[in-house]
Amino acid sequence: MTENVGAMHGGAPGSRGRTTIADVVVAKSAGMAARDVRGVYALGTGFARSMGSMRERTPGAGSGKSVTRGVSVEVGEAQAAIDLEIVVDYGVSITDVAGAMRENVISAVERMAGRDGVEVNIMVGDVKLPDEEDEGEERQRIQ
């Protein structure tokens, strides 16, 4: 409402009008920032990764991995809550990975979407062992 008052009274051009940011923008920003953390093997676990892997091999289904897989967000006027479901590499400190992920995600969302209060909840759903094959690689070999 404050922004609209500035528009009616000839306020600064930067304050005239309203900017709305879609949830998917915050989800993509958070997903990219989360993937940049060392020790994160993948976002999404179990069924979400399996479906995403199948979708990636379907012709015309889009390009590459879904940036928002394993990411859910709730965006308000000034705040955002982000839930991340991850798979970590074996041997890493989960608390260190979670801390670095929170820092990366909060920084990216605050910078890109201008949200001051960002809450990041992380659920570690699996660990990638060194001798495990990726689910997608295993399926491709079977076919």
Side-chain angles (χ1 to χ4, degrees):
M1 186 175 260
T2 304
E3 293 171 314
N4 292 338
V5 171
M8 286 185 255
H9 291 81
S15 67
R16 296 179 192 179
R18 179 184 165 121
T19 303
T20 304
I21 299 171
D23 289 4
V24 70
V25 173
V26 174
K28 285 182 177 183
S29 178
M32 291 298 292
R35 282 178 172 74
D36 285 343
V37 175
R38 171 174 263 165
V40 175
Y41 175 74
L43 266 66
T45 58
F47 185 71
R49 281 187 28 215
S50 297
M51 292 306 295
S53 179
M54 286 175 28
R55 196 176 317 120
E56 288 164 17
R57 288 190 301 275
T58 304
S63 60
K65 295 180 178 179
S66 171
V67 177
T68 59
R69 183 181 317 140
V71 181
S72 62
V73 301
E74 289 182 34
V75 182
E77 285 295 316
Q79 298 181 335
I82 301 164
D83 295 327
L84 301 169
E85 194 174 347
I86 67 169
V87 177
V88 296
D89 289 319
Y90 175 79
V92 300
S93 165
I94 292 174
T95 55
D96 289 349
V97 169
M101 183 176 283
R102 280 190 182 92
E103 286 181 28
N104 251 22
V105 170
I106 289 169
S107 175
V109 171
E110 285 179 347
R111 182 181 63 252
M112 189 168 180
R115 296 299 185 256
D116 292 328
V118 178
E119 174 185 303
V120 178
N121 303 304
I122 300 168
M123 198 284 281
V124 180
D126 201 356
V127 62
K128 169 67 169 83
L129 301 175
D131 59 346
E132 281 182 331
E133 289 188 45
D134 184 36
E135 293 173 5
E137 292 173 11
E138 186 177 313
R139 265 195 212 94
Q140 283 180 332
R141 259 197 0 221
I142 292 171
Q143 292 176 342

PDB file of all heavy atoms in Angstrom, residues 3 23 32 37 40-41 50 53 58 82 85 92 107 109 112 118 121 134:
ATOM      1  N   GLU A   3       3.662   1.703  -1.431  1.00  0.00           N
ATOM      2  CA  GLU A   3       4.153   1.929  -2.796  1.00  0.00           C
ATOM      3  C   GLU A   3       3.107   2.658  -3.638  1.00  0.00           C
ATOM      4  O   GLU A   3       3.448   3.530  -4.418  1.00  0.00           O
ATOM      5  CB  GLU A   3       4.510   0.600  -3.449  1.00  0.00           C
ATOM      6  CG  GLU A   3       5.707  -0.067  -2.803  1.00  0.00           C
ATOM      7  CD  GLU A   3       5.919  -1.458  -3.307  1.00  0.00           C
ATOM      8  OE1 GLU A   3       4.929  -2.209  -3.388  1.00  0.00           O
ATOM      9  OE2 GLU A   3       7.064  -1.785  -3.615  1.00  0.00           O
ATOM     10  N   ASP A  23       6.541 -17.724  -6.561  1.00  0.00           N
ATOM     11  CA  ASP A  23       7.210 -18.748  -5.760  1.00  0.00           C
ATOM     12  C   ASP A  23       8.291 -19.475  -6.549  1.00  0.00           C
ATOM     13  O   ASP A  23       9.345 -19.807  -6.017  1.00  0.00           O
ATOM     14  CB  ASP A  23       6.191 -19.765  -5.245  1.00  0.00           C
ATOM     15  CG  ASP A  23       5.288 -19.206  -4.162  1.00  0.00           C
ATOM     16  OD1 ASP A  23       5.385 -18.001  -3.851  1.00  0.00           O
ATOM     17  OD2 ASP A  23       4.472 -19.985  -3.620  1.00  0.00           O
ATOM     18  N   MET A  32      19.385 -23.430  -7.037  1.00  0.00           N
ATOM     19  CA  MET A  32      20.720 -23.196  -7.600  1.00  0.00           C
ATOM     20  C   MET A  32      21.739 -22.972  -6.493  1.00  0.00           C
ATOM     21  O   MET A  32      22.841 -23.517  -6.525  1.00  0.00           O
ATOM     22  CB  MET A  32      20.701 -21.995  -8.555  1.00  0.00           C
ATOM     23  CG  MET A  32      19.937 -22.245  -9.831  1.00  0.00           C
ATOM     24  SD  MET A  32      20.630 -23.570 -10.842  1.00  0.00           S
ATOM     25  CE  MET A  32      22.170 -22.831 -11.349  1.00  0.00           C
ATOM     26  N   VAL A  37      26.699 -26.038  -2.905  1.00  0.00           N
ATOM     27  CA  VAL A  37      27.365 -26.380  -1.654  1.00  0.00           C
ATOM     28  C   VAL A  37      28.091 -27.713  -1.793  1.00  0.00           C
ATOM     29  O   VAL A  37      27.501 -28.709  -2.232  1.00  0.00           O
ATOM     30  CB  VAL A  37      26.344 -26.431  -0.491  1.00  0.00           C
ATOM     31  CG1 VAL A  37      26.996 -26.905   0.793  1.00  0.00           C
ATOM     32  CG2 VAL A  37      25.710 -25.061  -0.299  1.00  0.00           C
ATOM     33  N   VAL A  40      26.782 -31.727  -1.164  1.00  0.00           N
ATOM     34  CA  VAL A  40      25.406 -32.003  -1.581  1.00  0.00           C
ATOM     35  C   VAL A  40      25.480 -32.843  -2.850  1.00  0.00           C
ATOM     36  O   VAL A  40      25.976 -32.389  -3.879  1.00  0.00           O
ATOM     37  CB  VAL A  40      24.618 -30.701  -1.849  1.00  0.00           C
ATOM     38  CG1 VAL A  40      23.234 -31.026  -2.407  1.00  0.00           C
ATOM     39  CG2 VAL A  40      24.503 -29.878  -0.573  1.00  0.00           C
ATOM     40  N   TYR A  41      25.001 -34.070  -2.768  1.00  0.00           N
ATOM     41  CA  TYR A  41      25.012 -34.943  -3.937  1.00  0.00           C
ATOM     42  C   TYR A  41      23.846 -34.611  -4.863  1.00  0.00           C
ATOM     43  O   TYR A  41      24.010 -34.539  -6.073  1.00  0.00           O
ATOM     44  CB  TYR A  41      24.948 -36.418  -3.508  1.00  0.00           C
ATOM     45  CG  TYR A  41      24.846 -37.346  -4.686  1.00  0.00           C
ATOM     46  CD1 TYR A  41      25.946 -37.584  -5.489  1.00  0.00           C
ATOM     47  CD2 TYR A  41      23.647 -37.961  -5.006  1.00  0.00           C
ATOM     48  CE1 TYR A  41      25.853 -38.417  -6.595  1.00  0.00           C
ATOM     49  CE2 TYR A  41      23.542 -38.793  -6.103  1.00  0.00           C
ATOM     50  CZ  TYR A  41      24.645 -39.015  -6.896  1.00  0.00           C
ATOM     51  OH  TYR A  41      24.552 -39.830  -7.992  1.00  0.00           O
ATOM     52  N   SER A  50      13.529 -40.155  -8.827  1.00  0.00           N
ATOM     53  CA  SER A  50      13.203 -41.169  -9.840  1.00  0.00           C
ATOM     54  C   SER A  50      12.343 -40.578 -10.946  1.00  0.00           C
ATOM     55  O   SER A  50      12.601 -40.781 -12.128  1.00  0.00           O
ATOM     56  CB  SER A  50      12.456 -42.345  -9.201  1.00  0.00           C
ATOM     57  OG  SER A  50      13.271 -42.982  -8.269  1.00  0.00           O
ATOM     58  N   SER A  53      14.376 -38.162 -13.038  1.00  0.00           N
ATOM     59  CA  SER A  53      15.288 -38.880 -13.916  1.00  0.00           C
ATOM     60  C   SER A  53      14.557 -39.386 -15.159  1.00  0.00           C
ATOM     61  O   SER A  53      15.054 -39.285 -16.278  1.00  0.00           O
ATOM     62  CB  SER A  53      15.916 -40.043 -13.155  1.00  0.00           C
ATOM     63  OG  SER A  53      16.781 -40.758 -13.976  1.00  0.00           O
ATOM     64  N   THR A  58      12.723 -38.108 -21.293  1.00  0.00           N
ATOM     65  CA  THR A  58      11.558 -38.057 -22.163  1.00  0.00           C
ATOM     66  C   THR A  58      11.741 -36.931 -23.178  1.00  0.00           C
ATOM     67  O   THR A  58      11.957 -35.786 -22.796  1.00  0.00           O
ATOM     68  CB  THR A  58      10.279 -37.792 -21.337  1.00  0.00           C
ATOM     69  OG1 THR A  58      10.179 -38.803 -20.337  1.00  0.00           O
ATOM     70  CG2 THR A  58       9.052 -37.801 -22.219  1.00  0.00           C
ATOM     71  N   ILE A  82      11.676 -21.786   3.081  1.00  0.00           N
ATOM     72  CA  ILE A  82      12.162 -22.707   2.060  1.00  0.00           C
ATOM     73  C   ILE A  82      12.449 -24.062   2.703  1.00  0.00           C
ATOM     74  O   ILE A  82      13.149 -24.137   3.716  1.00  0.00           O
ATOM     75  CB  ILE A  82      13.447 -22.156   1.404  1.00  0.00           C
ATOM     76  CG1 ILE A  82      13.145 -20.792   0.778  1.00  0.00           C
ATOM     77  CG2 ILE A  82      14.003 -23.136   0.384  1.00  0.00           C
ATOM     78  CD1 ILE A  82      14.378 -19.979   0.453  1.00  0.00           C
ATOM     79  N   GLU A  85      14.977 -30.821   0.466  1.00  0.00           N
ATOM     80  CA  GLU A  85      15.152 -32.243   0.703  1.00  0.00           C
ATOM     81  C   GLU A  85      16.404 -32.653  -0.057  1.00  0.00           C
ATOM     82  O   GLU A  85      16.478 -32.472  -1.281  1.00  0.00           O
ATOM     83  CB  GLU A  85      13.921 -32.991   0.179  1.00  0.00           C
ATOM     84  CG  GLU A  85      13.825 -34.399   0.643  1.00  0.00           C
ATOM     85  CD  GLU A  85      12.511 -35.046   0.215  1.00  0.00           C
ATOM     86  OE1 GLU A  85      11.595 -34.338  -0.219  1.00  0.00           O
ATOM     87  OE2 GLU A  85      12.438 -36.277   0.313  1.00  0.00           O
ATOM     88  N   VAL A  92      30.811 -36.566   4.596  1.00  0.00           N
ATOM     89  CA  VAL A  92      30.793 -35.127   4.892  1.00  0.00           C
ATOM     90  C   VAL A  92      30.080 -34.894   6.222  1.00  0.00           C
ATOM     91  O   VAL A  92      29.276 -35.715   6.664  1.00  0.00           O
ATOM     92  CB  VAL A  92      30.093 -34.303   3.781  1.00  0.00           C
ATOM     93  CG1 VAL A  92      30.799 -34.470   2.453  1.00  0.00           C
ATOM     94  CG2 VAL A  92      28.626 -34.660   3.667  1.00  0.00           C
ATOM     95  N   SER A 107      21.444 -16.018   1.399  1.00  0.00           N
ATOM     96  CA  SER A 107      22.119 -14.936   0.682  1.00  0.00           C
ATOM     97  C   SER A 107      21.540 -14.755  -0.721  1.00  0.00           C
ATOM     98  O   SER A 107      21.247 -13.638  -1.151  1.00  0.00           O
ATOM     99  CB  SER A 107      23.617 -15.234   0.605  1.00  0.00           C
ATOM    100  OG  SER A 107      24.274 -14.278  -0.165  1.00  0.00           O
ATOM    101  N   VAL A 109      18.542 -15.723  -1.937  1.00  0.00           N
ATOM    102  CA  VAL A 109      17.140 -15.294  -1.937  1.00  0.00           C
ATOM    103  C   VAL A 109      17.022 -13.838  -1.495  1.00  0.00           C
ATOM    104  O   VAL A 109      16.263 -13.068  -2.080  1.00  0.00           O
ATOM    105  CB  VAL A 109      16.270 -16.233  -1.069  1.00  0.00           C
ATOM    106  CG1 VAL A 109      14.869 -15.681  -0.885  1.00  0.00           C
ATOM    107  CG2 VAL A 109      16.217 -17.619  -1.704  1.00  0.00           C
ATOM    108  N   MET A 112      18.418 -11.756  -4.532  1.00  0.00           N
ATOM    109  CA  MET A 112      17.649 -11.805  -5.762  1.00  0.00           C
ATOM    110  C   MET A 112      16.194 -11.370  -5.582  1.00  0.00           C
ATOM    111  O   MET A 112      15.660 -10.666  -6.430  1.00  0.00           O
ATOM    112  CB  MET A 112      17.688 -13.214  -6.344  1.00  0.00           C
ATOM    113  CG  MET A 112      17.095 -13.310  -7.712  1.00  0.00           C
ATOM    114  SD  MET A 112      17.498 -14.890  -8.430  1.00  0.00           S
ATOM    115  CE  MET A 112      16.701 -14.728  -9.994  1.00  0.00           C
ATOM    116  N   VAL A 118      14.268 -15.000   5.783  1.00  0.00           N
ATOM    117  CA  VAL A 118      14.272 -16.244   5.023  1.00  0.00           C
ATOM    118  C   VAL A 118      14.574 -17.373   6.001  1.00  0.00           C
ATOM    119  O   VAL A 118      15.574 -17.344   6.706  1.00  0.00           O
ATOM    120  CB  VAL A 118      15.330 -16.224   3.892  1.00  0.00           C
ATOM    121  CG1 VAL A 118      15.336 -17.545   3.147  1.00  0.00           C
ATOM    122  CG2 VAL A 118      15.077 -15.075   2.937  1.00  0.00           C
ATOM    123  N   ASN A 121      14.669 -24.777   5.957  1.00  0.00           N
ATOM    124  CA  ASN A 121      14.553 -26.063   6.649  1.00  0.00           C
ATOM    125  C   ASN A 121      15.123 -27.144   5.744  1.00  0.00           C
ATOM    126  O   ASN A 121      14.763 -27.218   4.566  1.00  0.00           O
ATOM    127  CB  ASN A 121      13.084 -26.361   6.966  1.00  0.00           C
ATOM    128  CG  ASN A 121      12.467 -25.261   7.799  1.00  0.00           C
ATOM    129  OD1 ASN A 121      12.968 -24.928   8.865  1.00  0.00           O
ATOM    130  ND2 ASN A 121      11.407 -24.664   7.304  1.00  0.00           N
ATOM    131  N   ASP A 134      24.285 -44.057  -9.465  1.00  0.00           N
ATOM    132  CA  ASP A 134      23.176 -43.113  -9.501  1.00  0.00           C
ATOM    133  C   ASP A 134      21.969 -43.858 -10.065  1.00  0.00           C
ATOM    134  O   ASP A 134      22.093 -44.686 -10.964  1.00  0.00           O
ATOM    135  CB  ASP A 134      23.541 -41.928 -10.408  1.00  0.00           C
ATOM    136  CG  ASP A 134      22.477 -40.854 -10.407  1.00  0.00           C
ATOM    137  OD1 ASP A 134      21.861 -40.624  -9.355  1.00  0.00           O
ATOM    138  OD2 ASP A 134      22.269 -40.244 -11.475  1.00  0.00           O
TER     139      ASP A 134
END
